[in-house]
């Protein structure tokens, strides 16, 4: 397992009808002794006006070339994932997660373009990269008070939760 260090630069601003947030990070493997990051990461969040949803788009780049693109729509009140799309350009894998009526619907295409699907029952505490920071913000007080909390972490390419 490789250890990775993030340097995050945070920009936050409000517009007239929407709350937008942008993050930028340089990603270094801890063994990287150069001043050049292994990847750069940008993340933009935009509240969808007139709804209780936030659209999130994250992009990892290496040498200015997109490597991973993740897009998600998350309920801004409770941090529940509504939809989550992943395009892993390095490995040629894609994923699409949609959650409706307490069901998780997952579509996964591997590097050979073979489609697999799964349907799971949505657990009470579903966390994934798509909603991690929103979920953590909403549950920080509980975690600090209880010192631990049981979650189900969605792993899109394995088509299951842990």
């Amino acid at each position: 397992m490789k250890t990775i260090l993030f340097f995050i630069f945070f920009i936050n601003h409000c517009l007239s009808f929407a709350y937008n947030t942008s993050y930028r990070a340089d990603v270094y493997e801890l063994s990287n002794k150069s001043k050049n990051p292994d990847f750069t990461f940008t993340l933009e969040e935009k509240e969808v006006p007139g709804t209780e949803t936030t659209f999130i788009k994250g992009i990892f780049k290496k040498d200015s070339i997109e490597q991973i693109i993740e897009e998600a729509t998350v309920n801004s009140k409770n941090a529940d994932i509504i939809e989550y799309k992943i395009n892993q350009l390095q490995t040629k894998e894609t994923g699409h997660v949609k959650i409706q009526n307490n069901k998780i619907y997952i579509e996964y295409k591997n590097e050979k373009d073979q489609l697999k699907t799964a349907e799971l029952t949505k657990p009470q505490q579903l966390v994934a990269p798509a909603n991690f920071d929103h979920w953590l913000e909403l549950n920080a007080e509980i975690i600090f008070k209880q010192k631990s909390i049981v979650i189900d972490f969605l792993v899109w390419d394995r088509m299951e939760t842990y």
Side-chain angles (χ1 to χ4, degrees), residues 67-78:
Q67 302 295 313
I68 302 170
I69 302 168
E70 296 183 316
E71 297 177 313
T73 305
V74 175
N75 182 306
S76 48
K77 299 297 179 198
N78 62 16

Side-chain angles (χ1 to χ4, degrees), residues 1-115:
M1 181 197 296
K2 294 185 178 185
T3 306
I4 296 178
L5 176 65
F6 279 94
F7 289 107
I8 298 177
F9 304 93
F10 177 68
I11 304 164
N12 190 1
H13 53 89
C14 287
L15 297 177
S16 57
F17 297 106
Y19 181 79
N20 297 317
T21 305
S22 297
Y23 301 85
R24 182 189 169 289
D26 289 334
V27 183
Y28 296 85
E29 192 174 319
L30 286 179
S31 64
N32 179 350
K33 302 295 184 203
S34 80
K35 296 186 187 242
N36 299 322
D38 294 301
F39 294 93
T40 58
F41 175 68
T42 56
L43 184 119
E44 292 186 6
E45 296 183 5
K46 296 180 181 177
E47 283 196 25
V48 180
T51 70
E52 293 183 347
T53 59
T54 300
F55 178 75
I56 304 165
K57 184 172 186 174
I59 300 174
F60 280 92
K61 291 183 180 180
K62 183 169 183 69
D63 302 324
S64 299
I65 299 170
E66 292 179 347
Q67 302 295 313
I68 302 170
I69 302 168
E70 296 183 316
E71 297 177 313
T73 305
V74 175
N75 182 306
S76 48
K77 299 297 179 198
N78 62 16
D80 280 352
I81 300 166
I82 299 166
E83 189 169 20
Y84 179 35
K85 296 178 184 178
I86 307 95
N87 190 353
Q88 204 336 334
L89 298 161
Q90 294 171 308
T91 62
K92 311 286 189 262
E93 296 168 288
T94 61
H96 183 211
V97 176
K98 194 164 188 139
I99 299 175
Q100 293 177 315
N101 302 322
N102 287 324
K103 293 286 184 184
I104 304 170
Y105 301 96
I106 304 172
E107 290 183 353
Y108 166 74
K109 278 190 184 179
N110 64 18
E111 68 281 355
K112 296 175 184 164
D113 211 30
Q114 297 169 321
L115 178 66

